[in-house]
Amino acid sequence: MTRILSTFRALRHRHPFEDALAEEMRQHLELRAEDLVRSGLSAEAAARQAKLEFGSALNAATDCREARGLRLFDNLLQDFRQAIRGPKKAPAFTVTALATLAICLGANLTLFAVVDAVLLRPLPFPDSGRLVSVYNAYPKAGVPNDGCSLTNYYERRGKISALSSLAAYRDATAIVGETGAAEREEITRVSPDFFATLGIALPLGRAFQEAETTYQTDKVAILTDAYWRRRFAADPAVLGRQLRVNGVATTVIGILPPTFSFLSSTARLYFPLSSDPAERVPRQRHSGSSWHMIARLAPGASLAQAQTQIDAHNASMERDDPQAKSMADAGFRSIVTPLRAEHVAAIRPILLSTQAGALLLLLIGAVNLVNLLLIRASGRVKEIAVRQALGAGRWHVVRSSLVQTLLLTTVGGALGLALGAAGIRLLSVLGVQQLPLGAHVVLDTRLVVVAALGSLGLGLALAVPIAWYALRGSTGSVGSRGSSNRSAADALRSESRGGTAGRAAQQLRHGFLVAQMALAFVLLAGASLLGLSLERAMAVSPGFQPENVLSGRISLPRNGYPRVPDLLSFTERLVAELRREPGVLTAGVATNVPLSGRSNKSAATVEGWTPGPGEGPHGHYSYGVTGDALGALGFTLRGGRFLTADDSRRAQRVCVVDEDFARRYFPSGGALGRRLFQGGAVGPSTDAFTIVGVVGAAKQAEVTEDAAQGAVFYPFGTMFDRDVFVVVRTSLAPAALSATLRDVVRKLDPELPVSDVRTMQARIADSLVARRSPALLAGVFSAIAILLTAIGTYGVLSFAVAQRRREIGLRMALGARPQQVRRQFVGLAWRLVVVGTLVGGIGAWLAGLAMQGVLFHVPAVHWISLAGTAAILGFVCLFACLLPANRAARLSPMAAIADE
């Protein structure tokens, strides 16, 4: 370190030092010359003799630079100046190379920003790697993740030694504000230990307390920093101030840190996770779905230990539980998994496949640049030979190549970073925030460092083949000085004759071109599979008629609607008012709508149905509906009738099921009139629901779901929720009714805002975003890859024509026809395309296998796609070779010989 610091100090003060050295040399020369004059020499002879004795001042300065370790910096500066002059001599090459680097690096940086934010960057909590998620799974019932229940939370809290703390939370909405100015806000209800589990300390106020977890004492709130600044202008005296939440005065008790962000939550307010003791009893142990549990591993505890202890705890709790057998038949188990991994599990394969496509594009661009640089280096063989003949060593050649490529990739990296920043802004416009943790996708120092390291690594990788070629072309593979001089002379003579390039150099360029074609084939084939997958997903019928259907979301607060009759009365009045509006054909209210992002599943038991060995209750999509919700959504009636508002007030319980449910339990038909019970067991006869209708099966969670999960639609009075969807089928454009829907709701209750107002077609389109975006990006990458491959093919063959100009001229002078010359170069291109296609076909097959997790009804090997890919690649490459082939065919023998 001392030597390094000394070198940098010398570099910093080199000019004053060298000026002083030159002055000292001048003084010595003058003094010596004066001595010589006194000894009898003339002034001129004395000056000449003094210079001979002391040597040149330049040599002295050079020796001092060498001794002080500054010679390397001088050489690098010289190489840098030469590298800057080089691009000016070849502007077309420079623009092509920089554009290639900028596009390839920009695409990778844009996607890396997403991958880093979603998959790599630690969560913004202390020691976030020890945070875990705990959820219940019932795989045999078709419910792989059902959250957890309040009973789970209270039973496990403090009982699992591998977990230092345990917390529960639930996302919800609330109406915040005064009458006439209220807004529906996203909120999160959390247990008292939630923030402690995350390791978050409130800079202002306090966290929730256990005494505030009942419906009578939960009128307190913690605000995010952004909401505090917007609503209270960052007033430090906000503690004790009140908000009107769901019509009730609520006291502010704390403010969260400015940097706080919990996963992908957009909640601005946090409230206690309140409940009644009746909601925590053992029979509610498997009523999860809307509750989530997080925990922090204890110091020294592992994930496996926590899983083992959770399993043992569940076994002890289920020992006297009457539901234990049915839950075991459903495959019940509580899963402990890293918090981040569980949150991004659905999007992870898609992001990785998209990033792999971007890396393929970067690799194609790098191979293309290597070929172009090799072609450019071929034109510098004579120059390098002259330098070596004048004393330049092998390290000089390597250093020169390294500086040139590093300069090129550095500038290209800076341009790529600018394109990456533009790409990130574009992703923000396209809604990247909808991805898990997508709000953290930003251009920051971390991305700049990755761009710098990527540019450096790419520059080093590009320099290796260029330096090897330069050394081989000018000095051969021998190491002696005499052999080096002979090789340099051979290079000069070969250059002067216009001889052809060596076989090794040709094979290297052809090998890189084949690799580029193979990589382009893989990328294009992958894009074809993604496009075909998207096409088949878009062709899937959702199972209902989404045209001209508008839906919106309403939250009915407990304070204003405390009892089920109050909820029923409001929904019935709302439906009646909507039906009176012009253009409304029918309307209804439901606890959920297809493709809403919510997945409400619960078990149902059919009377008289005997499960098979080891088969337990099955989870089905469950709805509560009133009005003509099913008709408004466009469900097809297969038999019986739809539910109506009157069904919620009748003593006899009825329900409607879909075809998947009917086929599962009544494969021979006859579902109408049969009875079922909510839950995993047969109950009293008064609790039975009679099936009065069967509707067509519809896609519930996503359009591409294949599992026949089944759905049951109950009257709203028997399966209600305070967070509901209103659905309107109209004869007008659905968007035109958005204001009407809000006005009708405000008319009935001025404190109720309507949010998430979208058409059902928009919900379908949004559900395909995760498939549409990768397919679109892969298509763009493929187009760029095809262009780069065309440029590479053209560059290699054009150089081949230029290098073989003398040979072609002699052949044509001896009688060769233009068609023969043209056929020779087209044949070369064809052979390269065939080899590249064969290698790329193997890669495409492997890529197809790796992509099976993100493809929809598309096999790993789709022969039509592969054939189309081969045809496109072959056409582009052969088209790119026509211009140099025609140039060779039109070459004049006399002109070629005259050039010599």
Side-chain angles (χ1 to χ4, degrees):
M1 182 58 66
T2 302
R3 184 169 182 176
I4 292 174
L5 292 176
S6 176
T7 300
F8 276 101
R9 282 195 297 267
L11 184 64
R12 180 181 178 184
H13 301 291
R14 62 177 299 178
H15 293 299
F17 175 83
E18 291 180 1
D19 291 342
L21 177 65
E23 177 63 20
E24 184 178 354
M25 286 288 295
R26 186 186 64 77
Q27 293 175 2
H28 281 293
L29 288 172
E30 289 179 354
L31 292 173
R32 180 56 179 161
E34 291 176 0
D35 291 341
L36 291 174
V37 168
R38 283 193 294 269
S39 67
L41 293 178
S42 65
E44 292 182 1
R48 184 166 51 253
Q49 181 64 28
K51 289 182 179 179
L52 290 175
E53 292 179 3
F54 279 94
S56 169
L58 178 62
N59 290 338
T62 302
D63 292 340
C64 286
R65 292 172 189 168
E66 187 78 36
R68 304 175 75 197
L70 303 182
R71 182 69 177 272
L72 176 62
F73 293 96
D74 291 336
N75 292 335
L76 289 176
L77 181 61
Q78 182 181 0
D79 290 334
F80 180 74
R81 290 170 178 169
Q82 180 187 353
I84 292 178
R85 291 194 299 268
K88 297 179 180 178
K89 299 177 182 178
F93 164 80
T94 303
V95 171
T96 302
L98 291 179
T100 300
L101 286 168
I103 292 173
C104 296
L105 287 173
N108 274 272
L109 289 173
T110 301
L111 287 175
F112 178 78
V114 180
V115 171
D116 182 47
V118 177
L119 302 181
L120 302 179
R121 194 185 297 261
L123 294 175
F125 308 116
D127 201 11
S128 62
R130 301 195 66 77
L131 291 174
V132 297
S133 173
V134 186
Y135 62 89
N136 295 339
Y138 307 86
K140 294 182 181 179
V143 185
N145 188 335
D146 196 41
C148 70
S149 65
L150 272 178
T151 302
N152 294 146
Y153 167 68
Y154 282 101
E155 287 179 343
R156 295 169 182 170
R157 188 174 59 171
K159 304 293 179 57
I160 311 297
S161 61
L163 304 178
S164 61
S165 61
L166 189 73
Y169 70 95
R170 180 181 68 178
D171 294 321
T173 60
I175 301 169
V176 182
E178 302 298 328
T179 302
E183 296 179 346
R184 184 172 177 270
E185 298 284 0
E186 298 290 332
I187 70 167
T188 300
R189 294 194 174 274
V190 301
S191 60
D193 37 18
F194 179 78
F195 297 111
T197 299
L198 295 177
I200 297 297
L202 274 63
L204 191 62
R206 62 172 178 84
F208 300 123
Q209 298 175 352
E210 192 67 31
E212 295 165 340
T213 58
T214 69
Y215 291 128
Q216 294 74 33
T217 61
D218 64 350
K219 309 306 183 290
V220 290
I222 295 175
L223 311 182
T224 61
D225 182 82
Y227 191 81
W228 170 50
R229 294 181 184 277
R230 181 174 71 85
R231 185 65 180 264
F232 295 98
D235 182 6
V238 69
L239 300 182
R241 298 271 296 272
Q242 291 190 333
L243 285 170
R244 190 172 177 82
V245 180
N246 291 334
V248 178
T250 302
T251 304
V252 177
I253 64 169
I255 305 297
L256 288 165
T259 57
F260 176 79
S261 176
F262 179 64
L263 301 180
S264 302
S265 174
T266 58
R268 299 182 179 183
L269 304 95
Y270 287 78
F271 298 94
L273 187 58
S274 52
S275 60
D276 283 333
E279 297 176 275
R280 312 170 188 174
V281 296
R283 69 171 179 272
Q284 298 292 330
R285 187 174 289 140
H286 298 283
S287 59
S289 201
S290 61
W291 309 87
H292 304 277
M293 185 181 295
I294 61 172
R296 180 175 289 274
L297 294 174
S302 66
L303 196 69
Q305 290 174 326
Q307 183 67 68
T308 301
Q309 293 181 16
I310 286 283
D311 291 340
H313 181 269
N314 283 349
S316 65
M317 292 293 102
E318 301 286 338
R319 194 168 293 128
D320 299 324
D321 190 345
Q323 301 182 71
K325 184 181 183 308
S326 61
M327 293 300 103
D329 292 340
F332 164 66
R333 193 188 183 202
S334 294
I335 308 297
V336 183
T337 185
L339 179 60
R340 183 195 200 95
E342 191 270 335
H343 186 63
V344 303
I347 198 67
R348 180 184 177 88
I350 295 175
L351 286 182
L352 291 180
S353 63
T354 308
Q355 182 68 73
L359 289 174
L360 267 181
L361 178 64
L362 178 61
L363 194 55
I364 292 169
V367 172
N368 185 66
L369 281 178
V370 168
N371 252 341
L372 294 178
L373 288 169
L374 283 174
I375 292 171
R376 189 162 177 263
S378 299
R380 299 182 60 229
V381 171
K382 181 178 179 180
E383 173 193 341
I384 296 173
V386 170
R387 291 188 178 188
Q388 290 191 307
L390 295 176
R394 299 170 68 89
W395 167 237
H396 173 82
V397 176
V398 173
R399 191 182 63 234
S400 177
S401 300
L402 184 62
V403 171
Q404 290 179 20
T405 54
L406 284 177
L407 176 63
L408 186 67
T409 56
T410 299
V411 177
L415 296 175
L417 185 62
L419 282 181
I424 292 173
R425 287 195 294 270
L426 178 61
L427 290 178
S428 299
V429 174
L430 296 177
V432 71
Q433 296 87 352
Q434 297 178 6
L435 296 178
L437 302 176
H440 302 283
V441 179
V442 293
L443 174 65
D444 57 6
T445 306
R446 186 182 176 101
L447 196 64
V448 174
V449 171
V450 170
L453 293 178
S455 300
L456 177 63
L458 186 59
L460 294 174
L462 292 178
V464 171
I466 307 306
W468 173 86
Y469 178 79
L471 290 173
R472 184 182 181 88
S474 58
T475 64
S477 58
V478 292
S480 67
R481 183 70 178 174
S483 298
S484 177
N485 290 334
R486 287 195 301 272
S487 299
D490 292 341
L492 290 171
R493 287 194 298 270
S494 176
E495 179 70 15
S496 67
R497 292 193 306 265
T500 60
R503 176 178 294 274
Q506 288 184 6
Q507 290 177 346
L508 181 64
R509 286 193 295 270
H510 293 169
F512 278 121
L513 185 56
V514 167
Q516 187 175 5
M517 292 178 180
L519 292 171
F521 188 96
V522 173
L523 187 53
L524 189 57
S528 299
L529 293 180
L530 287 174
L532 184 61
S533 175
L534 176 62
E535 179 185 4
R536 293 186 175 178
M538 295 176 65
V540 172
S541 171
F544 58 93
Q545 299 172 7
E547 299 81 7
N548 294 334
V549 179
L550 184 71
S551 62
R553 197 170 172 182
I554 303 173
S555 292
L556 302 173
R558 183 183 299 272
N559 180 62
Y561 305 89
R563 299 176 301 119
V564 175
D566 300 321
L567 297 173
L568 278 175
S569 176
F570 174 81
T571 57
E572 289 169 354
R573 288 187 292 121
L574 175 59
V575 170
E577 288 292 335
L578 286 172
R579 285 173 175 170
R580 296 191 186 100
E581 294 295 326
V584 174
L585 300 178
T586 187
V589 173
T591 56
N592 196 12
V593 294
L595 309 175
S596 68
R598 302 172 65 186
S599 179
N600 295 336
K601 294 180 184 178
S602 61
T605 303
V606 174
E607 186 178 47
W609 181 71
T610 304
E615 185 177 6
H618 194 74
H620 305 285
Y621 294 107
S622 302
Y623 288 69
V625 298
T626 187
D628 190 18
L630 295 177
L633 284 169
F635 278 86
T636 303
L637 187 63
R638 302 299 189 191
R641 66 175 179 86
F642 288 138
L643 295 177
T644 66
D646 295 335
D647 290 321
S648 293
R649 299 187 179 276
R650 290 195 177 100
Q652 182 186 8
R653 293 186 166 195
V654 296
C655 67
V656 169
V657 299
D658 71 353
E659 287 179 308
D660 288 340
F661 185 96
R663 276 192 292 265
R664 177 180 179 84
Y665 296 102
F666 315 108
S668 301
L672 296 178
R674 301 292 294 271
R675 302 201 306 174
L676 60 84
F677 297 85
Q678 289 180 324
V682 174
S685 180
T686 55
D687 293 342
F689 289 83
T690 302
I691 300 175
V692 297
V694 178
V695 298
K699 303 296 182 180
Q700 305 287 346
E702 55 182 346
V703 174
T704 55
E705 63 181 355
D706 288 326
Q709 196 73 37
V712 184
F713 304 89
Y714 300 98
F716 187 77
T718 56
M719 187 175 188
F720 64 92
D721 196 344
R722 299 186 180 279
D723 194 1
V724 298
F725 288 85
V726 56
V727 185
V728 178
R729 178 169 290 275
T730 173
S731 58
L732 307 174
L737 280 181
S738 298
T740 301
L741 175 59
R742 290 187 171 94
D743 291 342
V744 170
V745 174
R746 292 276 189 183
K747 177 182 175 182
L748 296 177
D749 189 337
E751 293 190 356
L752 288 184
V754 183
S755 63
D756 195 20
V757 179
R758 284 188 289 167
T759 66
M760 291 306 297
Q761 288 178 313
R763 294 188 188 278
I764 294 174
D766 290 345
S767 71
L768 293 172
V769 166
R771 295 184 178 274
R772 184 183 296 108
S773 298
L776 178 61
L777 288 174
V780 173
F781 294 164
S782 298
I784 298 173
I786 286 294
L787 177 61
L788 293 178
T789 303
I791 293 173
T793 304
Y794 171 79
V796 169
L797 294 180
S798 291
F799 180 74
V801 171
Q803 289 291 88
R804 300 177 64 181
R805 180 180 175 87
R806 177 172 179 267
E807 173 195 340
I808 295 170
L810 290 174
R811 288 180 56 196
M812 296 188 71
L814 294 175
R817 296 179 180 179
Q819 294 85 349
Q820 292 176 312
V821 175
R822 183 185 297 109
R823 191 161 49 245
Q824 177 185 1
F825 287 97
V826 172
L828 172 61
W830 177 249
R831 290 193 296 273
L832 295 176
V833 168
V834 170
V835 176
T837 300
L838 292 176
V839 177
I842 298 174
W845 169 61
L846 296 175
L849 291 175
M851 293 168 59
Q852 282 300 292
V854 299
L855 297 178
F856 178 67
H857 293 177
V858 176
V861 178
H862 189 264
W863 295 108
I864 297 178
S865 296
L866 292 179
T869 301
I872 293 174
L873 186 64
F875 173 79
V876 169
C877 292
L878 293 177
F879 180 79
C881 83
L882 288 180
L883 189 59
N886 286 331
R887 188 186 306 134
R890 292 195 303 267
L891 184 64
S892 170
M894 296 303 296
I897 295 174
D899 288 342
E900 293 301 313

